[in-house]
Amino acid sequence: GHAVRTWAANVKRLAKGKSPVRTGFLRDSIDSERIGPKHWKVRVGASYGVYVEYGTRYMSAQPYFRPAIKVANKIFRQQVTEVFRNAND
């Protein structure tokens, strides 16, 4: 539970920090939600979020969500490694 909740919070925080801001709607639409005992969902509510992330033929991609997941996954792996390291002490 705790590690997954922390991962979701990190994805949300990092995606908000990396999202391009014109009006703030995209950034403000990024949210996380608990959907089960150990399951969280991080979503982008702005309908155009996918176009910003991947780009279109008229607009270059401005990735914000995938880079956030990448960093959050790295933090998660470090935390899990630390737990196992401490368990063996």
Side-chain angles (χ1 to χ4, degrees):
H2 175 71
V4 177
R5 180 179 65 232
T6 300
W7 176 86
N10 283 336
V11 171
K12 177 181 171 181
R13 176 182 54 81
L14 291 162
K16 283 180 176 271
K18 292 176 180 297
S19 69
V21 177
R22 185 176 296 166
T23 66
F25 183 77
L26 173 64
R27 179 196 58 220
D28 295 343
S29 78
I30 300 168
D31 202 9
S32 60
E33 171 187 8
R34 184 177 182 185
I35 58 173
K38 295 181 181 181
H39 297 87
W40 285 76
K41 173 173 63 174
V42 182
R43 70 179 198 90
V44 179
S47 60
Y48 58 87
V50 67
Y51 303 118
V52 175
E53 179 76 17
Y54 291 100
T56 67
R57 94 164 89 155
Y58 305 107
M59 176 181 83
S60 296
Q62 298 178 69
Y64 61 96
F65 201 75
R66 289 173 297 152
I69 291 172
K70 185 176 181 179
V71 172
N73 285 349
K74 182 178 180 181
I75 294 167
F76 181 81
R77 281 191 300 275
Q78 290 170 341
Q79 290 171 334
V80 169
T81 300
E82 189 64 29
V83 166
F84 283 111
R85 189 174 291 137
N86 290 335
N88 292 323
D89 288 344

